[in-house]
Amino acid sequence: MNKINIAIDGLSGCGKSSTAKSVAKSLHYKFIDTGAMYRAVTLYFLQQKVDLSSAESVGKALGEISIDFAFNPESQKNETILNEQNVENEIRKMYVSENVSATSAIKAVRIAMVAQQQEMGKDKGVVMDGRDIGSVVFPDAELKVYMTASSEVRAKRRQEELTLKGEDVDLQEIIENLESRDHQDSTRKESPLIKVADAVEIDTSELRFEDQVQKVLDLAKDRIAKA
Ligand code: DC
């Protein structure tokens, strides 16, 4: 059977990654969380105190970064590896969330990440989630989904995730972070978050997780049959 690429873009925290992961599992496709890649770059820049306004420092730091995903049998998850260190937990923390939009707005950062993402999807069979997957990374993806949900629903889900990891964060702080990232991600000059004309929009505010996964799977099966 022919394989397709599936691009899932949308607002911060509306369940793109968990949906993409579940869809990939059902189809036996590769799942790639591009937000994790931008988070890993952000973590490295913070650790190295990279001056974001200096093209030279940014370029030098990008040359020192290697990002990979590795399956962890304990968590049964693909986890993010930055320069051979597992940073999966660290990149989800609030201080990284607060800095990731600034880092991901830098052109050199985007060029480096997009090249790696295109390489990962060149043989098809990939479900990739992010902000510019349908518009820039895979403009020819056979299926493009644009996910949204209300700020309150997204913040409550994010708070539950953080609580499970032992990070106690006020709901209002999460709402502010999500809305500020939405604003920065959709108004930036380089590859802003947009809903492309051929994307199917799914509002997950009122949907159960299984239903949102099923919706994407139904669309995917239709596109695979036509591929
Ligand atoms: O998906 P996420 O919330 O983990 O992504 C973190 C940040 O990374 C998000 O605020 C914007 C940026 N990002 C991006 O600019 N382009 C992508 N393809 C994915 C994420």
Side-chain angles (χ1 to χ4, degrees), residues 67-85:
I67 300 172
D68 255 311
F69 294 101
F71 186 73
N72 177 351
E74 220 169 277
S75 65
Q76 289 286 304
K77 272 180 30 179
N78 252 343
E79 297 188 339
T80 315
I81 311 294
L82 167 66
N83 295 341
E84 293 174 17
Q85 270 213 320

Side-chain angles (χ1 to χ4, degrees), residues 12-13 16-17 33-36 38-39 92 100-101 104 110 129-133 158 181 185 188:
S12 293
K16 298 183 301 291
S17 293
D33 172 359
T34 64
Y38 289 98
R39 286 172 180 273
R92 309 287 165 193
V100 67
S101 285
S104 55
R110 304 211 68 84
D129 86 283
R131 304 295 186 290
D132 60 341
I133 312 305
R158 187 50 57 95
R181 283 201 287 140
D185 296 343
R188 69 182 175 215

Side-chain angles (χ1 to χ4, degrees), residues 35-143:
M37 299 171 73
Y38 289 98
R39 286 172 180 273
V41 174
T42 304
L43 177 64
Y44 187 78
F45 282 13
L46 288 169
Q47 286 170 341
Q48 303 299 318
K49 301 193 170 52
V50 173
D51 173 5
L52 300 189
S53 64
S54 157
E56 200 190 330
S57 312
V58 167
K60 179 176 171 290
L62 280 172
E64 295 159 359
I65 293 179
S66 140
I67 300 172
D68 255 311
F69 294 101
F71 186 73
N72 177 351
E74 220 169 277
S75 65
Q76 289 286 304
K77 272 180 30 179
N78 252 343
E79 297 188 339
T80 315
I81 311 294
L82 167 66
N83 295 341
E84 293 174 17
Q85 270 213 320
N86 188 320
V87 292
E88 185 60 31
N89 281 336
E90 206 58 27
I91 60 169
R92 309 287 165 193
K93 292 189 175 163
M94 272 310 267
Y95 77 96
V96 175
S97 297
E98 278 158 9
N99 287 281
V100 67
S101 285
T103 302
S104 55
I106 300 170
K107 190 172 184 176
V109 171
R110 304 211 68 84
I111 291 173
M113 293 303 107
V114 168
Q116 196 174 338
Q117 291 152 9
Q118 288 174 333
E119 180 64 25
M120 290 166 164
K122 70 177 184 335
D123 298 327
K124 306 250 174 175
V126 158
V127 187
M128 193 173 276
D129 86 283
R131 304 295 186 290
D132 60 341
I133 312 305
S135 57
V136 175
V137 181
F138 298 133
D140 297 330
E142 289 80 355
L143 173 59

Side-chain angles (χ1 to χ4, degrees), residues 33 36 63 72 76 108 133 148 156 163 171 182 217-218 226:
D33 172 359
N72 177 351
Q76 289 286 304
I133 312 305
T148 61
K156 280 202 184 113
T163 307
L171 192 65
D182 291 345
L217 273 177
D218 291 345
K226 291 179 185 151

